[in-house]
Coordinates of all heavy atoms in Angstrom, one line a residue:
D71 N 97.4 102.9 86.2 CA 97.3 104.0 85.1 C 97.9 103.5 83.8 O 97.4 103.8 82.7 CB 98.0 105.2 85.6 CG 97.3 105.9 86.8 OD1 96.1 105.6 87.0 OD2 98.0 106.7 87.5
A72 N 99.0 102.7 83.9 CA 99.7 102.3 82.7 C 98.8 101.3 81.9 O 98.6 101.5 80.7 CB 100.9 101.5 83.1
S73 N 98.1 100.4 82.6 CA 97.2 99.5 81.8 C 96.0 100.2 81.3 O 95.4 99.9 80.2 CB 96.8 98.3 82.7 OG 98.0 97.5 83.0
H74 N 95.5 101.2 82.1 CA 94.3 102.0 81.7 C 94.7 102.7 80.4 O 93.9 102.7 79.4 CB 94.0 103.0 82.8 CG 92.8 103.8 82.5 ND1 91.5 103.5 83.1 CD2 92.6 105.0 81.8 CE1 90.7 104.4 82.7 NE2 91.3 105.3 81.9
D75 N 95.8 103.4 80.4 CA 96.2 104.2 79.2 C 96.5 103.3 78.0 O 96.1 103.6 76.9 CB 97.5 105.0 79.6 CG 97.2 106.1 80.6 OD1 96.0 106.3 80.9 OD2 98.1 106.7 81.2
L76 N 97.1 102.1 78.3 CA 97.4 101.2 77.2 C 96.1 100.7 76.5 O 96.0 100.8 75.3 CB 98.2 100.0 77.7 CG 98.5 98.9 76.7 CD1 99.4 99.4 75.5 CD2 99.1 97.6 77.3
G77 N 95.1 100.3 77.4 CA 93.9 99.9 76.8 C 93.2 100.9 76.0 O 92.7 100.7 74.9
L78 N 93.2 102.2 76.5 CA 92.5 103.3 75.7 C 93.3 103.5 74.4 O 92.6 103.6 73.4 CB 92.6 104.6 76.6 CG 91.6 104.7 77.7 CD1 91.8 106.0 78.4 CD2 90.1 104.5 77.3
S79 N 94.6 103.4 74.5 CA 95.4 103.7 73.3 C 95.1 102.6 72.2 O 95.4 102.9 71.0 CB 96.9 103.8 73.6 OG 97.4 102.5 73.8
L80 N 94.7 101.5 72.6 CA 94.5 100.4 71.7 C 93.0 100.3 71.3 O 92.6 99.3 70.7 CB 94.9 99.0 72.3 CG 96.4 98.9 72.6 CD1 96.7 97.7 73.4 CD2 97.2 98.9 71.3
G81 N 92.2 101.3 71.7 CA 90.8 101.4 71.2 C 89.8 100.6 72.1 O 88.7 100.4 71.7
M82 N 90.3 100.2 73.3 CA 89.4 99.5 74.2 C 88.5 100.4 75.0 O 88.8 101.6 75.2 CB 90.2 98.6 75.1 CG 91.0 97.6 74.4 SD 92.2 96.7 75.4 CE 91.1 95.4 76.0
D83 N 87.3 99.9 75.4 CA 86.4 100.7 76.3 C 86.8 100.5 77.7 O 86.4 99.6 78.4 CB 85.0 100.2 76.0 CG 83.9 101.0 76.7 OD1 84.3 102.0 77.3 OD2 82.8 100.6 76.7
V84 N 87.7 101.4 78.2 CA 88.3 101.3 79.6 C 87.6 102.3 80.5 O 87.6 103.5 80.2 CB 89.8 101.5 79.6 CG1 90.3 101.1 81.0 CG2 90.5 100.7 78.5
K85 N 86.9 101.7 81.5 CA 86.1 102.6 82.4 C 86.8 102.6 83.8 O 87.8 101.9 84.0 CB 84.7 102.0 82.5 CG 84.0 101.9 81.1 CD 82.6 101.8 81.3 CE 81.8 102.0 80.0 NZ 82.0 103.3 79.3
T86 N 86.2 103.3 84.7 CA 86.6 103.3 86.1 C 85.7 102.4 86.9 O 84.6 102.0 86.5 CB 86.6 104.7 86.8 OG1 85.2 105.1 86.8 CG2 87.4 105.7 85.9
L87 N 86.1 102.0 88.1 CA 85.3 101.2 89.0 C 84.0 101.9 89.4 O 83.0 101.3 89.6 CB 86.0 100.8 90.3 CG 86.9 99.5 90.2 CD1 87.6 99.3 91.5 CD2 86.2 98.3 89.7
N88 N 84.0 103.2 89.3 CA 82.8 104.0 89.6 C 81.7 103.7 88.5 O 80.6 103.6 88.8 CB 83.2 105.5 89.4 CG 83.1 106.2 90.7 OD1 82.5 105.8 91.6 ND2 83.8 107.4 90.8
E89 N 82.2 103.6 87.3 CA 81.3 103.3 86.2 C 81.0 101.8 86.1 O 79.9 101.5 85.6 CB 81.9 103.8 84.8 CG 82.2 105.3 84.8 CD 83.2 105.6 83.7 OE1 84.3 105.1 83.7 OE2 82.8 106.4 82.9
L90 N 81.9 101.0 86.5 CA 81.8 99.5 86.3 C 82.3 98.8 87.5 O 83.4 98.3 87.6 CB 82.6 99.1 85.1 CG 82.4 97.8 84.4 CD1 80.9 97.7 83.9 CD2 83.3 97.7 83.2
P91 N 81.5 98.8 88.6 CA 82.0 98.2 89.9 C 81.9 96.7 90.0 O 82.5 96.2 90.9 CB 81.0 98.9 90.9 CG 79.8 99.2 90.2 CD 80.1 99.4 88.7
E92 N 81.3 96.0 89.0 CA 81.2 94.6 89.1 C 81.8 94.0 87.8 O 81.4 94.4 86.7 CB 79.8 94.1 89.3 CG 79.3 94.4 90.6 CD 77.8 94.0 90.8 OE1 77.3 93.1 90.0 OE2 77.2 94.5 91.7
L93 N 82.8 93.1 88.0 CA 83.4 92.5 86.8 C 83.2 91.0 86.7 O 83.0 90.3 87.7 CB 84.9 92.8 86.9 CG 85.4 94.2 87.1 CD1 86.9 94.3 87.3 CD2 85.0 95.0 85.8
D94 N 83.2 90.5 85.5 CA 83.0 89.0 85.3 C 84.4 88.3 85.5 O 84.4 87.2 86.0 CB 82.5 88.8 83.8 CG 81.2 89.3 83.6 OD1 80.2 88.9 84.3 OD2 81.0 90.3 82.8
L95 N 85.4 89.0 85.0 CA 86.7 88.3 85.0 C 87.9 89.3 85.2 O 87.8 90.4 84.6 CB 86.9 87.6 83.6 CG 88.1 86.9 83.3 CD1 88.3 85.6 84.1 CD2 88.2 86.5 81.8
Y96 N 88.8 88.9 86.0 CA 90.1 89.7 86.2 C 91.2 88.8 85.7 O 91.3 87.6 86.1 CB 90.3 90.1 87.6 CG 91.5 90.9 87.9 CD1 91.7 92.1 87.2 CD2 92.5 90.5 88.8 CE1 92.9 92.8 87.4 CE2 93.7 91.2 89.0 CZ 93.8 92.4 88.3 OH 95.0 93.1 88.5
V97 N 92.1 89.4 84.8 CA 93.2 88.6 84.3 C 94.5 89.3 84.7 O 94.7 90.5 84.3 CB 93.1 88.4 82.8 CG1 94.3 87.6 82.3 CG2 91.8 87.7 82.4
D98 N 95.4 88.6 85.4 CA 96.6 89.3 85.8 C 97.7 88.3 86.0 O 97.5 87.1 86.2 CB 96.4 90.1 87.1 CG 97.4 91.2 87.3 OD1 98.4 91.3 86.5 OD2 97.3 91.9 88.3
G99 N 99.0 88.8 85.9 CA 100.1 87.9 86.2 C 100.4 87.8 87.7 O 99.5 88.3 88.5
A100 N 101.5 87.2 88.1 CA 101.8 87.1 89.5 C 103.3 86.9 89.6 O 104.0 86.5 88.6 CB 101.1 85.9 90.1
D101 N 103.9 87.2 90.8 CA 105.3 87.0 91.0 C 105.6 85.6 91.5 O 106.6 85.0 91.2 CB 105.8 88.0 92.0 CG 105.6 89.4 91.4 OD1 106.2 89.7 90.3 OD2 104.9 90.2 92.0
E102 N 104.7 85.0 92.3 CA 104.8 83.6 92.7 C 103.3 83.0 92.8 O 102.4 83.7 93.2 CB 105.4 83.5 94.0 CG 106.9 83.6 94.0 CD 107.6 83.3 95.4 OE1 106.9 83.2 96.4 OE2 108.8 83.2 95.4
V103 N 103.2 81.7 92.4 CA 102.0 81.0 92.6 C 102.3 79.8 93.4 O 103.0 78.9 92.9 CB 101.4 80.7 91.2 CG1 100.0 79.9 91.4 CG2 101.2 81.9 90.3
G104 N 101.7 79.6 94.5 CA 101.9 78.5 95.4 C 100.7 77.6 95.4 O 99.6 77.9 94.8
P105 N 100.8 76.4 96.1 CA 99.6 75.5 96.1 C 98.4 76.1 96.6 O 98.4 77.0 97.6 CB 100.2 74.4 97.1 CG 101.7 74.5 97.1 CD 101.9 76.0 96.8
G106 N 97.2 75.8 96.1 CA 96.0 76.4 96.5 C 95.8 77.8 95.8 O 94.9 78.5 96.2
L107 N 96.7 78.1 94.9 CA 96.6 79.4 94.2 C 96.8 80.5 95.1 O 96.1 81.6 95.0 CB 95.3 79.5 93.3 CG 95.1 78.5 92.2 CD1 93.9 78.9 91.4 CD2 96.3 78.3 91.4
V108 N 97.7 80.4 96.1 CA 98.1 81.6 96.9 C 99.2 82.3 96.1 O 100.0 81.7 95.4 CB 98.6 81.1 98.3 CG1 97.5 80.6 99.1 CG2 99.8 80.2 98.2
L109 N 99.1 83.6 96.1 CA 100.0 84.4 95.2 C 100.8 85.4 96.0 O 100.3 85.9 97.0 CB 99.1 85.2 94.2 CG 98.0 84.5 93.4 CD1 97.3 85.5 92.6 CD2 98.6 83.4 92.6
I110 N 102.0 85.7 95.4 CA 102.6 87.0 95.7 C 102.5 87.9 94.5 O 102.8 87.4 93.4 CB 104.1 86.8 96.2 CG1 104.2 86.2 97.5 CG2 104.8 88.2 96.1 CD1 105.7 86.0 98.0
K111 N 102.0 89.1 94.7 CA 101.9 90.0 93.6 C 102.5 91.4 94.1 O 102.7 91.6 95.3 CB 100.5 90.2 93.2 CG 100.0 89.0 92.3 CD 98.6 89.2 91.8 CE 98.4 90.5 91.0 NZ 99.4 90.7 89.9
G112 N 102.7 92.3 93.1 CA 103.1 93.6 93.5 C 104.6 93.9 93.0 O 105.1 95.0 93.2
G113 N 105.2 93.0 92.2 CA 106.5 93.3 91.7 C 106.5 94.5 90.8 O 107.5 95.2 90.8
G114 N 105.4 94.8 90.2 CA 105.2 96.0 89.4 C 104.7 97.2 90.2 O 104.5 98.3 89.6
G115 N 104.4 97.0 91.5 CA 104.0 98.1 92.3 C 102.5 98.4 92.3 O 102.1 99.4 92.8
A116 N 101.7 97.5 91.7 CA 100.3 97.9 91.5 C 99.4 97.0 92.4 O 98.2 96.9 92.2 CB 99.9 97.7 90.1
L117 N 100.0 96.5 93.5 CA 99.2 95.5 94.3 C 97.9 96.0 94.9 O 97.0 95.2 94.9 CB 100.2 94.9 95.4 CG 100.6 95.9 96.5 CD1 100.5 95.3 97.8 CD2 102.1 96.3 96.2
L118 N 97.9 97.2 95.3 CA 96.7 97.8 95.9 C 95.5 97.8 94.9 O 94.5 97.2 95.1 CB 96.9 99.1 96.5 CG 95.7 99.9 97.1 CD1 95.0 99.1 98.2 CD2 96.1 101.3 97.6
R119 N 95.7 98.4 93.8 CA 94.7 98.5 92.8 C 94.4 97.1 92.2 O 93.2 96.8 91.9 CB 95.0 99.5 91.7 CG 95.0 100.9 92.1 CD 95.0 101.8 90.9 NE 95.1 103.2 91.3 CZ 95.2 104.2 90.4 NH1 95.3 103.9 89.1 NH2 95.3 105.4 90.8
E120 N 95.4 96.3 92.1 CA 95.2 94.9 91.6 C 94.3 94.1 92.5 O 93.4 93.4 92.1 CB 96.5 94.2 91.5 CG 97.4 94.6 90.3 CD 98.8 94.1 90.3 OE1 99.3 93.6 91.3 OE2 99.4 94.1 89.2
K121 N 94.5 94.3 93.8 CA 93.7 93.6 94.8 C 92.2 94.1 94.8 O 91.3 93.4 94.9 CB 94.3 93.6 96.2 CG 93.9 92.4 97.1 CD 94.6 92.4 98.4 CE 95.8 91.6 98.4 NZ 96.4 91.4 99.8
I122 N 92.1 95.4 94.6 CA 90.8 96.0 94.6 C 90.0 95.5 93.3 O 88.9 95.1 93.4 CB 90.9 97.5 94.6 CG1 91.4 98.0 95.9 CG2 89.5 98.2 94.2 CD1 91.8 99.5 95.9
V123 N 90.7 95.6 92.2 CA 90.0 95.2 90.9 C 89.7 93.7 91.0 O 88.6 93.2 90.6 CB 90.8 95.5 89.7 CG1 90.1 95.1 88.4 CG2 91.0 97.1 89.6
A124 N 90.6 92.9 91.5 CA 90.4 91.4 91.6 C 89.2 91.1 92.5 O 88.4 90.3 92.2 CB 91.7 90.7 92.2
S125 N 89.1 91.9 93.6 CA 88.0 91.7 94.5 C 86.6 92.0 93.9 O 85.6 91.6 94.4 CB 88.2 92.5 95.8 OG 87.9 93.9 95.6
A126 N 86.6 92.8 92.8 CA 85.4 93.2 92.2 C 85.0 92.2 91.1 O 83.9 92.3 90.5 CB 85.6 94.6 91.5
A127 N 85.8 91.1 90.9 CA 85.6 90.2 89.8 C 85.0 88.9 90.3 O 85.5 88.4 91.4 CB 86.8 90.0 89.0
K128 N 84.2 88.2 89.5 CA 83.7 86.9 89.9 C 84.7 85.9 89.7 O 84.8 84.9 90.5 CB 82.5 86.5 89.0 CG 81.3 87.4 89.2 CD 80.1 86.8 88.4 CE 78.9 87.8 88.3 NZ 78.9 88.5 87.0
E129 N 85.6 86.0 88.7 CA 86.7 85.0 88.5 C 88.0 85.8 88.3 O 88.0 86.9 87.8 CB 86.4 84.3 87.1 CG 85.1 83.5 87.1 CD 85.1 82.3 87.9 OE1 86.2 81.7 88.0 OE2 84.0 81.9 88.3
F130 N 89.0 85.2 88.9 CA 90.4 85.8 88.8 C 91.3 84.7 88.1 O 91.6 83.7 88.7 CB 90.9 86.2 90.2 CG 92.3 86.7 90.3 CD1 93.0 87.0 89.1 CD2 92.9 87.0 91.5 CE1 94.3 87.5 89.2 CE2 94.2 87.5 91.6 CZ 94.9 87.7 90.4
L131 N 91.6 85.0 86.9 CA 92.5 84.2 86.1 C 93.9 84.7 86.2 O 94.2 85.8 85.7 CB 92.0 84.2 84.6 CG 92.7 83.3 83.6 CD1 92.6 81.9 83.9 CD2 92.1 83.6 82.2
V132 N 94.8 83.8 86.7 CA 96.2 84.2 86.8 C 96.9 83.6 85.6 O 96.8 82.5 85.3 CB 96.8 83.6 88.1 CG1 98.2 84.1 88.3 CG2 96.0 83.9 89.4
V133 N 97.8 84.5 85.0 CA 98.5 84.0 83.9 C 100.0 84.2 84.1 O 100.5 85.3 84.3 CB 98.1 84.9 82.6 CG1 96.7 84.4 82.1 CG2 98.0 86.4 82.9
V134 N 100.7 83.0 84.1 CA 102.1 83.0 84.5 C 102.9 82.0 83.6 O 102.3 81.1 83.0 CB 102.4 82.7 86.0 CG1 101.9 83.8 86.9 CG2 101.8 81.3 86.3
D135 N 104.2 82.2 83.5 CA 105.1 81.2 83.0 C 105.5 80.3 84.1 O 105.4 80.7 85.3 CB 106.3 81.9 82.3 CG 107.2 82.6 83.3 OD1 108.0 81.9 83.9 OD2 107.0 83.8 83.6
S136 N 106.0 79.1 83.8 CA 106.2 78.1 84.9 C 107.2 78.5 85.9 O 107.3 77.8 86.9 CB 106.5 76.8 84.2 OG 107.6 76.9 83.4
T137 N 108.1 79.4 85.6 CA 109.1 79.8 86.6 C 108.4 80.4 87.8 O 109.1 80.5 88.9 CB 110.1 80.8 86.0 OG1 109.4 82.1 85.7 CG2 110.8 80.3 84.8
K138 N 107.2 80.8 87.7 CA 106.5 81.5 88.9 C 105.9 80.5 89.9 O 105.4 80.9 90.9 CB 105.4 82.4 88.4 CG 105.8 83.4 87.3 CD 106.6 84.5 87.9 CE 107.0 85.6 86.9 NZ 105.9 86.5 86.5
L139 N 105.8 79.2 89.5 CA 105.2 78.2 90.3 C 106.2 77.8 91.4 O 107.4 77.5 91.2 CB 104.9 76.9 89.5 CG 103.7 76.9 88.7 CD1 103.5 75.5 88.1 CD2 102.4 77.3 89.4
V140 N 105.7 77.8 92.7 CA 106.6 77.5 93.8 C 105.8 76.5 94.8 O 104.6 76.5 94.8 CB 107.0 78.7 94.6 CG1 107.9 79.7 93.8 CG2 105.8 79.5 95.1
E141 N 106.6 75.8 95.6 CA 106.0 74.9 96.6 C 105.6 75.7 97.8 O 104.5 75.5 98.4 CB 107.0 73.8 97.0 CG 107.0 72.6 96.1 CD 105.6 72.0 95.9 OE1 104.9 71.8 96.8 OE2 105.3 71.8 94.7
R142 N 106.4 76.7 98.1 CA 106.1 77.6 99.2 C 106.4 79.0 98.9 O 107.5 79.3 98.2 CB 106.8 77.2 100.5 CG 106.2 75.9 101.1 CD 106.8 75.6 102.5 NE 108.2 75.4 102.5 CZ 108.9 75.2 103.6 NH1 108.3 75.2 104.8 NH2 110.2 75.0 103.5
L143 N 105.6 80.0 99.2 CA 105.8 81.4 98.9 C 107.0 81.9 99.7 O 107.3 81.5 100.8 CB 104.6 82.2 99.2 CG 103.3 81.9 98.5 CD1 102.2 82.8 99.0 CD2 103.4 82.0 96.9
G144 N 107.7 82.9 99.1 CA 108.6 83.7 99.9 C 110.0 83.9 99.3 O 110.7 84.8 99.8
K145 N 110.2 83.3 98.1 CA 111.5 83.6 97.5 C 111.5 85.0 96.9 O 112.5 85.8 97.0 CB 111.8 82.6 96.4 CG 113.2 82.6 95.9 CD 113.6 81.3 95.1 CE 115.0 81.5 94.5 NZ 115.1 80.6 93.4
F146 N 110.4 85.3 96.3 CA 110.2 86.7 95.8 C 109.9 87.6 96.9 O 109.0 87.3 97.7 CB 109.1 86.7 94.8 CG 109.0 88.0 94.0 CD1 109.6 88.2 92.8 CD2 108.3 89.1 94.5 CE1 109.6 89.4 92.1 CE2 108.2 90.3 93.8 CZ 108.8 90.4 92.6
P147 N 110.6 88.7 97.0 CA 110.4 89.7 98.2 C 108.9 90.1 98.2 O 108.4 90.6 97.2 CB 111.3 90.8 97.9 CG 112.4 90.2 97.0 CD 111.7 89.2 96.2
L148 N 108.3 90.1 99.3 CA 106.9 90.4 99.5 C 106.7 91.9 99.5 O 107.2 92.6 100.5 CB 106.3 89.8 100.8 CG 104.9 90.1 101.1 CD1 103.9 89.5 100.1 CD2 104.5 89.6 102.5
P149 N 106.0 92.5 98.6 CA 105.8 94.0 98.6 C 104.7 94.4 99.6 O 103.6 93.7 99.7 CB 105.3 94.3 97.2 CG 105.6 93.1 96.4 CD 105.5 91.9 97.3
V150 N 105.0 95.4 100.3 CA 104.0 96.0 101.3 C 103.8 97.5 101.0 O 104.8 98.2 100.9 CB 104.5 95.8 102.7 CG1 103.5 96.4 103.7 CG2 104.6 94.3 103.1
E151 N 102.6 97.9 100.7 CA 102.4 99.3 100.4 C 102.0 100.1 101.6 O 101.2 99.7 102.4 CB 101.2 99.4 99.3 CG 100.9 100.8 98.9 CD 100.2 100.9 97.6 OE1 100.1 99.9 96.8 OE2 99.7 102.0 97.2
V152 N 102.7 101.2 101.8 CA 102.7 101.9 103.0 C 102.4 103.4 102.8 O 102.9 104.0 101.9 CB 104.1 101.8 103.7 CG1 104.2 102.6 105.0 CG2 104.5 100.4 103.9
V153 N 101.6 104.0 103.6 CA 101.3 105.4 103.6 C 102.6 106.2 103.8 O 103.4 105.8 104.7 CB 100.3 105.8 104.6 CG1 100.2 107.3 104.8 CG2 98.9 105.2 104.3
K154 N 102.9 107.2 103.0 CA 104.2 107.9 103.0 C 104.6 108.3 104.4 O 105.7 107.9 104.8 CB 104.1 109.2 102.2 CG 104.5 109.1 100.8 CD 104.4 110.5 100.2 CE 105.0 110.6 98.8 NZ 104.8 112.0 98.3
M155 N 103.7 109.0 105.1 CA 104.1 109.5 106.4 C 104.4 108.4 107.5 O 105.0 108.6 108.5 CB 103.1 110.5 107.0 CG 101.9 109.9 107.5 SD 100.8 110.9 108.6 CE 101.8 110.9 110.1
A156 N 103.9 107.2 107.2 CA 104.0 106.1 108.1 C 105.3 105.3 108.0 O 105.6 104.4 108.8 CB 102.8 105.2 108.0
M157 N 106.0 105.6 106.9 CA 107.2 104.8 106.6 C 108.1 104.6 107.8 O 108.5 103.5 108.1 CB 108.0 105.4 105.4 CG 109.1 104.6 104.9 SD 108.5 103.1 104.1 CE 109.2 103.5 102.4

Side-chain angles (χ1 to χ4, degrees):
D71 290 344
S73 294
H74 183 99
D75 294 348
L76 176 66
L78 285 180
S79 74
L80 295 170
M82 299 170 83
D83 185 7
V84 190
K85 302 198 170 299
T86 64
L87 276 180
N88 250 338
E89 300 162 298
L90 198 57
E92 289 178 19
L93 304 172
D94 297 294
L95 178 68
Y96 179 57
V97 181
D98 201 357
D101 299 300
E102 283 187 349
V103 180
L107 299 188
V108 292
L109 313 176
I110 287 182
K111 285 187 52 53
L117 63 137
L118 174 58
R119 288 194 188 176
E120 288 172 340
K121 207 175 264 190
I122 293 168
V123 178
S125 76
K128 292 189 194 100
E129 304 283 331
F130 176 6
L131 181 61
V132 186
V133 285
V134 290
D135 66 86
S136 58
T137 65
K138 306 287 186 68
L139 282 185
V140 296
E141 276 307 313
R142 289 191 294 176
L143 298 178
K145 194 165 173 203
F146 190 92
L148 176 66
V150 176
E151 184 158 343
V152 178
V153 169
K154 266 183 172 180
M155 73 163 287
M157 187 71 118

